[in-house]
Amino acid sequence: MSADTDTITQAAPTGVEPPARNRESRSAAVLALARFEARELLLQIPVLLFLALYVGYTGWRLFLGGEGMDDFPILQEVDRNTQQAPLLPAIAVFVCVNRAVLRSRRQSTDQNFDILPMEHWRRTVAHALSVLPFAAITAIVVGFQYTWAALKPGAVGHGSPAELVVGPLLVLLAGVLGVLLARVIPVGFVAPPFVIGAFVLSTLVSALTQGKHWVRWLGPVVTEEGASPFPSELLGRPAAWHALYLVGLVVLLLCVAVLVSGGRTRLVKAVTALALAATAVGVTGQSPDVPASLVEARTEASVSPEKEQTCVRHGRSTYCAFPEWSGRTADWAEAVDRIQSRAGGSAGGERLTVRQRIDARDGLESDAAISPSTTSGHVTVGTRWGGNRLPEFAVGVASVLVTGTEEEAGRVCDARVVTTMWLALSAQPDPMRSLRDVRLDDSIKGSAVALAPTGPVSMSAQQTTVVRELLQKPHYSVAAKVKAHWTELTSPKTPTARVAELLGVPVSGKGTAADSGSGSCEE
């Protein structure tokens, strides 16, 4: 009897699917629709185009851009540099997801959904999930960009995972916002004007609030650029709070879209409350301005960097750097040795102190100039390295060897500029290109100023001509003359014509007032 009963029980159809299996089938249907919509998005021309632009632009910056400075990346800068480019795929995803949600309305098939087993709100969830592959692509590009920089031999600093997730979260946020906009305003051509309006509104709000800290951090991307790179502990960016804010905002907007679509289940309401709480906590955490302790730490690092730095000796000189840059002192020493080997007199054996300096007192967006050191034999080096920073550092080293201090070098308008520039640039792999790079007008003719870590060096047209001629000669032949006439070449009373004569460069005309030690920089 029991066996027959078991057989009947197993064979008899119930007519109703068990609740667990029913939930599984609904979830599978949502995922299947999400996969279909993701494929449809990938076939949209705007998405393909903007994804290609994003990947291409990132690749160009990695392999061709940066003017040499990306050869020595600073990881707390690299992580922030991954945040703006994802705006390209984010805009495309926003517009195309919005159109995908409204497809049935454009094709007048909305009424057919009423006879399908999948509820309206589950379709909303599926459209939101279709954005996940594009956020994953963005995460892969961001991860590759950061890993490429971190594996370079000259990389320094520490990146932040909270900064790196901003790009993928931006794409997710754009997609979910596109879904919500379609459910709230079911009009076909609302997405492009919405993008323009959002940009205008954000610009207007920023102008009216004068860029207040808490207002700026309500936006999805806050890069804060302008200043030279800071040590990690001086950044003061609420990156973790901002990441929490973005995650909460993504989930909150999705829940609102589901609620608008009719999905008012207990689970949706609970997740909505949790997302709202997370968003509020993130906003609260990121809103406070720079704390007093950070202001004090930035001031101390700017005014008394020696309290924070580690000093090592390479050869005869000492090199002091912030802890994250301590591995770069050997590169500085190599550059100093090349320059000093060409100097004459006591400068050839002088014990220099090369110290890394920043001005962090006005924050991450203030490009404040570093004041020249008044201490004899002290040379300033910045936190960037590579590209034009190499000849600029060389000019700073040569200036101190010729004049004694950075402060004095900033006042030089006489013929000592010729010796300074030859010492600095003859040690570079391509002296003529370095001359062009280090001058503010990117030229090798006429008067101009040459950049250095703490201030420019003024060059008259005649001095530029002499330097250009010297750089075209073999450096060993000029070096012998520089060492033999070092005292006269580094005297403020020696005119440019006499310097040219000592170094074997023919020039026309007499020394000008600028070359005679009068202190005037005019020709």
Side-chain angles (χ1 to χ4, degrees):
M1 183 68 178
S2 61
D4 293 339
T5 303
D6 291 342
T7 303
I8 294 172
T9 302
Q10 293 175 4
T14 62
V16 179
E17 194 174 8
R21 183 175 299 176
N22 194 24
R23 287 195 297 269
E24 291 176 1
S25 63
R26 288 179 177 180
S27 299
V30 170
L31 293 177
L33 179 58
R35 287 194 297 269
F36 170 80
E37 293 295 346
R39 286 195 299 269
E40 288 295 307
L41 282 177
L42 190 58
L43 296 177
Q44 299 297 311
I45 292 178
V47 173
L48 281 174
L49 177 61
F50 279 74
L51 271 178
L53 284 175
Y54 170 50
V55 175
Y57 172 72
T58 303
W60 176 81
R61 289 193 60 184
L62 289 179
F63 300 108
L64 299 176
E67 298 181 349
M69 284 182 287
D70 285 344
D71 292 337
F72 300 88
I74 300 163
L75 299 183
Q76 57 261 38
E77 296 277 307
V78 173
D79 57 10
R80 300 210 305 276
N81 290 338
T82 64
Q83 296 179 5
Q84 288 185 314
L87 280 170
L88 292 171
I91 292 173
V93 166
F94 169 76
V95 174
C96 291
V97 165
N98 182 266
R99 281 181 54 82
V101 176
L102 296 173
R103 186 191 305 118
S104 59
R105 186 178 184 85
R106 292 195 309 273
Q107 298 175 355
S108 300
T109 57
D110 274 345
Q111 63 275 14
N112 296 334
F113 289 154
D114 295 335
I115 62 175
L116 296 179
M118 182 179 292
E119 298 94 324
H120 194 51
W121 67 269
R122 292 185 188 274
R123 292 184 172 276
T124 298
V125 174
H127 280 290
L129 292 178
S130 70
V131 182
L132 287 175
F134 302 95
I137 293 173
T138 305
I140 291 172
V141 175
V142 168
F144 180 80
Q145 185 177 354
Y146 181 80
T147 303
W148 180 269
L151 293 179
K152 286 189 174 183
V156 298
H158 302 87
S160 167
E163 299 279 13
L164 293 172
V165 300
V166 169
L169 287 175
L170 178 61
V171 175
L172 275 180
L173 180 63
V176 171
L177 185 59
V179 174
L180 174 61
L181 186 65
R183 292 308 188 202
V184 175
I185 309 177
V187 179
F189 194 71
V190 71
F194 184 87
V195 173
I196 298 173
F199 175 76
V200 173
L201 180 62
S202 63
T203 303
L204 182 62
V205 170
S206 178
L208 292 177
T209 59
Q210 299 180 345
K212 289 182 183 280
H213 175 90
W214 70 271
V215 175
R216 294 180 59 204
W217 281 90
L218 290 176
V221 177
V222 186
T223 54
E224 293 185 309
E225 299 175 335
S228 296
F230 289 4
S232 299
E233 63 272 13
L234 299 182
L235 291 178
R237 287 173 56 85
W241 292 114
H242 189 64
L244 176 61
Y245 159 66
L246 290 180
V247 171
L249 188 60
V250 168
V251 179
L252 178 62
L253 293 181
L254 174 58
C255 290
V256 172
V258 171
L259 289 171
V260 170
S261 302
R264 296 179 177 85
T265 65
R266 291 182 179 178
L267 178 61
V268 173
K269 292 178 180 178
V271 174
T272 302
L274 183 61
L276 180 60
T279 305
V281 171
V283 170
T284 303
Q286 71 184 12
S287 293
D289 211 338
V290 180
S293 58
L294 181 59
V295 173
E296 183 180 351
R298 286 178 173 178
T299 301
E300 185 171 284
S302 304
V303 177
S304 305
E306 64 276 2
K307 296 180 180 180
E308 309 291 333
Q309 293 179 342
T310 302
C311 297
V312 296
R313 181 178 289 274
H314 292 282
R316 65 175 68 87
S317 297
T318 303
Y319 300 84
C320 302
F322 292 104
E324 291 173 310
W325 280 266
S326 59
R328 193 165 288 173
T329 56
D331 296 327
W332 303 339
E334 183 181 354
V336 170
D337 290 343
R338 285 200 307 268
I339 298 167
Q340 205 165 13
S341 66
R342 290 164 166 77
S346 60
E350 186 174 355
R351 298 180 182 275
L352 299 175
T353 298
V354 177
R355 185 175 298 283
Q356 194 172 47
R357 297 174 62 203
I358 59 173
D359 192 337
R361 288 171 289 187
D362 294 325
L364 291 167
E365 295 181 299
S366 175
D367 191 12
I370 301 174
S371 58
S373 173
T374 59
T375 306
S376 178
H378 279 228
V379 180
T380 295
V381 63
T383 49
R384 292 197 186 279
W385 190 248
N388 292 354
R389 302 294 88 83
L390 299 180
E392 289 173 14
F393 173 67
V395 171
V397 174
S399 297
V400 171
L401 291 176
V402 171
T403 64
T405 67
E406 290 179 339
E407 185 181 42
E408 175 63 20
R411 295 196 293 257
V412 168
C413 296
D414 50 62
R416 287 178 290 177
V417 170
V418 173
T419 307
T420 297
M421 296 304 295
W422 179 84
L423 277 178
L425 302 181
S426 65
Q428 304 303 309
D430 189 344
M432 293 301 294
R433 179 178 178 179
S434 295
L435 175 61
R436 187 186 303 275
D437 291 343
V438 83
R439 283 163 58 100
L440 197 58
D441 62 351
D442 296 326
S443 73
I444 57 173
K445 294 182 179 179
S447 60
V449 295
L451 299 177
T454 58
V457 175
S458 300
M459 300 178 66
S460 68
Q462 188 182 29
Q463 292 162 358
T464 300
T465 301
V466 176
V467 171
R468 187 175 65 246
E469 294 297 324
L470 288 174
L471 292 177
Q472 294 175 355
K473 295 175 175 289
H475 72 85
Y476 51 83
S477 64
V478 180
K481 296 174 183 178
V482 168
K483 291 180 179 181
H485 303 287
W486 181 259
T487 301
E488 193 171 358
L489 291 174
T490 56
S491 171
K493 298 180 180 180
T494 306
T496 299
R498 175 58 179 166
V499 169
E501 180 184 352
L502 292 173
L503 298 179
V505 176
V507 293
S508 59
K510 301 291 184 181
T512 63
D515 304 319
S516 63
S518 66
S520 172
C521 292
E522 299 179 359
E523 295 199 56

